[in-house]
Amino acid sequence: NVSHTNVTCFGADNGTISITSPMGGYGTYQYSIDGGSTWQGSGSFNNLEPGTYDVMISDLANPVCVITLNPALVITEPDELTATVTRTDVTCFGANNGTISITSPSGGYGTYQYSINGTTWQGFGTFSNLAPATYEVSIRDAANPLCVVILDPAMEITEPAQLAAEVGSTDVSCFGGNDGTITITGATGGYGTYEYSINGGGSWNSTGVFINLTAGAYNILIRDAAHQGCIIVLNNAYIITQPSMLSATVSKT
């Protein structure tokens, strides 16, 4: 009987041919897989590269007695493993919501597993809730787990700096007036574009300048315009004051 295994991984050269249960002749045998150019006393051939092999058996006692068992036994190898890797960075300082996505796998024997640390594997290519770090992104053939390809040895997930800004104001100039102002300046962090609120997020503007304000407490927020769920409270009770009402005592003679 002649059996074989194909190469497990592109470039591995680990195909095999096995010749078993020989019979006939005078009971001792030798074997060849290169059309008789070389012979060996074992029917096991290992570490074979992809190719076509001429498999023969001969009677060791009478070497001219040769039988071709398979004139064109083909050892194949799969295509090289490959896939597309994309990522999203953390949206907000401390959020730990980065992602890595591995798509369009090909090569190997058609089923795949994925890893971002070289140690643990899963059958789907989506990795979520990732902290800022450097990840080793790999794919392997699920049918031949030793067949591993590193798609990116150092994929970096980053996070932005924490949102911050300065708050300034002018108080109401006259009791009962509405000429107070709040100005938010020097915004930093996030992804570079910002929106501002002084009513706890009920409404937002992109300038950071709020006018015509009455006296009261204001809940001042900043958010990343590119990731609007990323919100920082700058001051949850910022006070705009007003002077006391003008009054006097009038007397006459």
Side-chain angles (χ1 to χ4, degrees):
N1 296 321
V2 179
S3 61
H4 74 282
T5 61
N6 291 317
V7 173
T8 57
C9 187
F10 179 83
D13 294 350
N14 62 351
T16 69
I17 293 174
S18 182
I19 307 165
T20 58
S21 303
M23 63 178 64
Y26 285 90
T28 56
Y29 309 97
Q30 59 183 357
Y31 310 92
S32 174
I33 60 171
D34 59 6
S37 295
T38 59
W39 296 87
Q40 68 181 41
S42 166
S44 296
F45 297 85
N46 300 312
N47 301 320
L48 302 180
E49 63 185 27
T52 300
Y53 294 87
D54 185 356
V55 183
M56 296 179 170
I57 183 174
S58 77
D59 188 330
L60 185 59
N62 296 282
V64 294
C65 183
V66 177
I67 294 293
T68 298
L69 299 171
N70 189 323
L73 190 153
V74 177
I75 298 287
T76 64
E77 73 176 348
D79 291 335
E80 188 169 12
L81 291 171
T82 186
T84 299
V85 182
T86 56
R87 78 176 202 279
T88 61
D89 291 321
V90 173
T91 57
C92 188
F93 179 84
N96 293 350
N97 62 351
T99 68
I100 291 175
S101 182
I102 308 168
T103 57
S104 304
S106 62
Y109 285 92
T111 56
Y112 309 98
Q113 293 176 326
Y114 310 91
S115 175
I116 57 172
N117 61 12
T119 302
T120 57
W121 297 84
Q122 65 184 39
F124 54 94
T126 300
F127 298 84
S128 304
N129 301 320
L130 301 180
T134 298
Y135 296 88
E136 180 182 287
V137 184
S138 303
I139 184 174
R140 75 180 181 186
D141 190 329
N144 297 285
L146 295 179
C147 183
V148 177
V149 168
I150 297 174
L151 300 169
D152 192 319
M155 172 162 278
E156 186 176 9
I157 297 291
T158 64
E159 71 178 349
Q162 189 166 13
L163 292 171
E166 299 292 330
V167 180
S169 66
T170 59
D171 292 321
V172 173
S173 60
C174 185
F175 181 85
N178 65 346
D179 62 346
T181 69
I182 291 174
T183 304
I184 307 167
T185 58
T188 59
Y191 286 90
T193 56
Y194 309 100
E195 292 178 328
Y196 312 91
S197 174
I198 60 170
N199 59 6
S203 59
W204 297 84
N205 78 28
S206 59
T207 67
V209 177
F210 299 85
I211 61 174
N212 301 324
L213 303 181
T214 59
Y218 293 86
N219 187 358
I220 302 175
L221 311 178
I222 183 175
R223 74 181 180 186
D224 190 326
H227 299 283
Q228 295 183 351
C230 184
I231 298 172
I232 293 292
V233 178
L234 297 173
N235 191 318
N236 63 0
Y238 192 91
I239 304 300
I240 295 293
T241 65
Q242 65 181 353
S244 299
M245 182 182 297
L246 293 170
S247 65
T249 299
V250 180
S251 62
K252 70 183 178 70
T253 56

